[in-house]
Amino acid sequence: AAGVIQSPRHLIKEKRETATLKCYPIPRHDTVYWYQQGPGQDPQFLISFYEKMQSDKGSIPDRFSAQQFSDYHSELNMSSLELGDSALYFCASSLGFTPWGQNTEAFFGQGTRLTVV
Amino acid sequence: TQLLEQSPQFLSIQEGENLTVYCNSSSVFSSLQWYRQEPGEGPVLLVTVVTGGEVKKLKRLTFQFGDARKDSSLHITAAQPGDTGLYLCAGLSGGTSYGKLTFGQGTILTVHP
């Protein structure tokens, strides 16, 4: 079965550079989530999109932006990179949602390891 | 802010032993998911529990959702070295926070042969 695809898997950038992370959800999934996971930490929610509209926002810095395109893939744009941005960035997708959480299982991609030097 | 307290953070046991990981919150979640994560890889969904009091079994793993949907547990019977990994619980918020998962701190399980 097709899974969530993230690219690139590894990315090395210098401070103050920009980076773009891409996420291709499971086919027919309309919801995409972005998470940041620092070393030894649990994933922290950044932002989510449902049907190409931002649905929720977490602890995402103003230097970061994201969008979901018409084909439901999503991109996380990160500017003015800082050393502290080094982390694993995960994308997850799910098929819609209901207010009571049914049919909202989120499946994660393998992540992009961003290293800022 | 919804928080999930997961315990223990570290667990080191011998093959064949049983163990339980707990996930507790003061908030109600619409559902709770358990993931397993290998180093450098994305979390892999193990199970989702939705109904208060629900119990789900996945081979030697038993998952339970508290009656009030504020807590959950993962019980592993006769642990094997292949069970070694990071286990994460994650609560799914309902209402206006559609689909946002709040993760616990994780439990690093090591099963020694």
Side-chain angles (χ1 to χ4, degrees):
Chain A
V4 177
I5 306 296
Q6 288 187 249
S7 67
R9 288 295 310 277
H10 303 273
L11 191 57
I12 300 176
K13 290 285 186 177
E14 295 187 354
K15 285 192 302 183
R16 292 180 289 277
E17 284 193 319
T18 61
T20 297
L21 278 53
K22 297 185 178 182
C23 169
Y24 297 87
I26 292 172
R28 293 187 292 115
H29 279 192
D30 50 19
T31 306
V32 168
Y33 318 83
W34 286 97
Y35 288 83
Q36 178 191 58
Q37 186 176 30
Q41 298 180 358
D42 56 281
Q44 296 295 313
F45 174 74
L46 293 178
I47 195 167
S48 63
F49 293 88
Y50 169 65
E51 283 291 344
K52 292 153 281 184
M53 298 288 289
Q54 181 181 306
S55 56
D56 208 344
K57 194 171 182 179
S59 51
I60 183 170
D62 292 339
R63 300 177 288 107
F64 294 6
S65 65
Q67 57 181 324
Q68 186 179 30
F69 295 86
S70 58
D71 64 351
Y72 295 101
H73 94 273
S74 179
E75 294 184 4
L76 176 65
N77 299 293
M78 311 158 72
S79 62
S80 302
L81 287 169
E82 302 173 357
L83 294 178
D85 296 329
S86 296
L88 272 169
Y89 290 83
F90 291 107
C91 169
S93 75
S94 68
L95 179 60
F97 56 85
T98 70
W100 298 112
Q102 294 183 8
N103 299 323
T104 56
E105 291 174 330
F107 296 88
F108 283 77
Q110 291 187 297
T112 294
R113 180 177 292 281
L114 172 67
T115 303
V116 182
V117 298
Chain B
T1 302
Q2 293 180 302
L3 293 174
L4 270 174
E5 296 290 331
Q6 192 171 338
S7 63
Q9 281 192 274
F10 301 95
L11 199 52
S12 180
I13 61 173
Q14 293 296 126
E15 182 176 2
E17 293 183 355
N18 302 331
L19 66 110
T20 302
V21 178
Y22 299 93
C23 191
N24 297 293
S25 175
S26 58
S27 304
V28 175
F29 290 98
S30 55
S31 67
L32 199 139
Q33 302 178 14
W34 284 91
Y35 291 87
R36 177 177 165 179
Q37 185 178 20
E38 299 295 332
E41 300 291 329
V44 176
L45 180 66
L46 296 174
V47 78
T48 299
V49 285
V50 179
T51 307
E54 182 177 7
V55 177
K56 281 190 174 179
K57 292 193 175 185
L58 187 67
K59 296 184 181 178
R60 293 176 293 101
L61 278 60
T62 301
F63 304 86
Q64 187 164 3
F65 203 14
D67 292 339
R69 288 188 288 125
K70 292 182 180 181
D71 56 271
S72 182
S73 64
L74 158 61
H75 183 78
I76 300 179
T77 304
Q80 300 176 0
D83 296 328
T84 294
L86 171 65
Y87 290 82
L88 292 160
C89 64
L92 180 65
S93 307
T96 58
S97 296
Y98 297 121
K100 182 175 72 175
L101 285 170
T102 300
F103 281 87
Q105 305 96 318
T107 295
I108 297 176
L109 171 65
T110 304
V111 182
H112 301 281

